Structures are given as C-alpha cells and as structure tokens.
Amino acid sequence: MRNKRTSLIHLIYFSRALVSTEGAIRARELGEIARQAQKRNEFSVITSFLIYEQGYFMQVLEGDRTSIQDTFTRIVNDRRHRDVQIIEWREIVKREFVSSFNIAQRVAANELVFQKANVLPMLQRGTPKAPVVYGLARALQADSMAKQGIDHLFV
C-alpha cells in the first residue's frame, strides 16, 4: 500500500539578522518579532522555533504547505532578514514543536545547549546544516520545558 502524501511541511531557513547590536534595543526588536509572529502563526496553524545567534536567525517552521509558503514569503520580504536561505524543506509526519512561536538566543542559562550544538563555527563559515539547526531547536525547546517542570511532549 502506498503512503498518502501529507501536506504537513517542515522548513528550516537561515538568514542574517538586521537587528540592533545593543542588547536592550535588540530585546525589544525580538519581542516585537515574537508578538507579530505568534499572532500570525496561531492564525495559520504553524508551529515554529526561532533562534537568534550573533547576528543570525535560524528557524524551523511546521505547518501545511500553503501556510508555510505564505509565511516564508513574508520572512523573505521582511527588512529584518538579509540573505535568506532555505536549508531544508520536506514533508513530515508529525510536528515536533509545541508552540506557535518560540524564540531563543544564547544566554548563560542555555549556554551548554549552544555549546553542544557547536553552531557558531558553522555560521562563521556559511550556511549551517539542517540537522544542527533542527537539533539545537529541539534541545532548546526541551531545555525550556524541563525548566518549567514539563518532562513529556504530546504532539
């Protein structure tokens, strides 16, 4: 029996972030991105995880094909992104992320997670590999959930 094609898509992209280098201003800018994205993603039934790391955005988006295409088009046209590159686009069986929008950046509390991913050298050389971005996003989600006392996902 042939498997039915699913319209559930997982897209990972990478871009240069055009946000302030000053911490307080950047925090406000990232907060605004989070507010806008959460509303849009909830409406479009998209789950996602955005990582900001030293001037770069990396994001995993999950949702139906049309919603992901529309969202990615908005991202490409957003002035806060430059040199947007798709790292991976593929069909998936189930979602791995629980929130319509979650964001993380390297801070003391998650430093070990970033160190284990070893993502910075890749960013300095060019486009990071999809498994590294995906793994980092999943690890950051698990770390955040563990700190909230959540030990199991039902997705």
Side-chain angles (χ1 to χ4, degrees), residues 62-93:
E62 300 171 325
D64 74 70
R65 186 178 306 274
T66 303
S67 294
I68 294 297
Q69 287 173 329
D70 292 346
T71 298
F72 187 68
T73 298
R74 271 196 313 277
I75 289 166
V76 168
N77 293 318
D78 189 316
R79 64 173 177 71
R80 298 169 290 202
H81 295 272
R82 190 177 77 211
D83 304 327
V84 181
Q85 298 174 36
I86 293 175
I87 302 171
E88 185 171 75
W89 170 284
R90 66 180 170 87
E91 290 184 350
I92 56 174
V93 176

Side-chain angles (χ1 to χ4, degrees), residues 9-140:
I9 299 297
H10 140 123
L11 172 105
I12 302 174
Y13 76 87
F14 158 80
S15 69
R16 293 188 184 278
L18 295 177
V19 295
S20 177
T21 56
E22 199 276 305
I25 295 171
R26 184 178 58 246
R28 282 194 305 273
E29 291 172 336
L30 294 176
E32 183 58 29
I33 289 171
R35 280 186 291 285
Q36 291 173 358
Q38 186 162 5
K39 287 178 192 174
R40 286 186 173 143
N41 288 359
E42 285 174 358
F43 180 77
S44 299
V45 193
I46 289 175
T47 50
S48 70
F49 201 100
L50 177 70
I51 301 165
Y52 173 80
E53 172 63 352
Q54 296 192 13
Y56 298 95
F57 287 129
M58 298 168 282
Q59 187 171 22
V60 180
L61 298 164
E62 300 171 325
D64 74 70
R65 186 178 306 274
T66 303
S67 294
I68 294 297
Q69 287 173 329
D70 292 346
T71 298
F72 187 68
T73 298
R74 271 196 313 277
I75 289 166
V76 168
N77 293 318
D78 189 316
R79 64 173 177 71
R80 298 169 290 202
H81 295 272
R82 190 177 77 211
D83 304 327
V84 181
Q85 298 174 36
I86 293 175
I87 302 171
E88 185 171 75
W89 170 284
R90 66 180 170 87
E91 290 184 350
I92 56 174
V93 176
K94 67 177 187 127
R95 296 173 190 262
E96 295 294 333
F97 295 92
V98 297
S99 177
S100 60
F101 185 82
N102 204 340
I103 188 169
Q105 60 181 325
R106 186 180 291 219
V107 293
N110 63 20
E111 177 64 26
L112 280 176
V113 177
F114 274 87
Q115 285 179 5
K116 286 180 184 178
N118 201 25
V119 74
L120 189 57
M122 282 197 289
L123 292 173
Q124 292 168 339
R125 289 192 304 267
T127 306
K129 303 285 186 234
V132 173
V133 175
Y134 182 73
L136 176 58
R138 296 264 330 258
L140 287 165

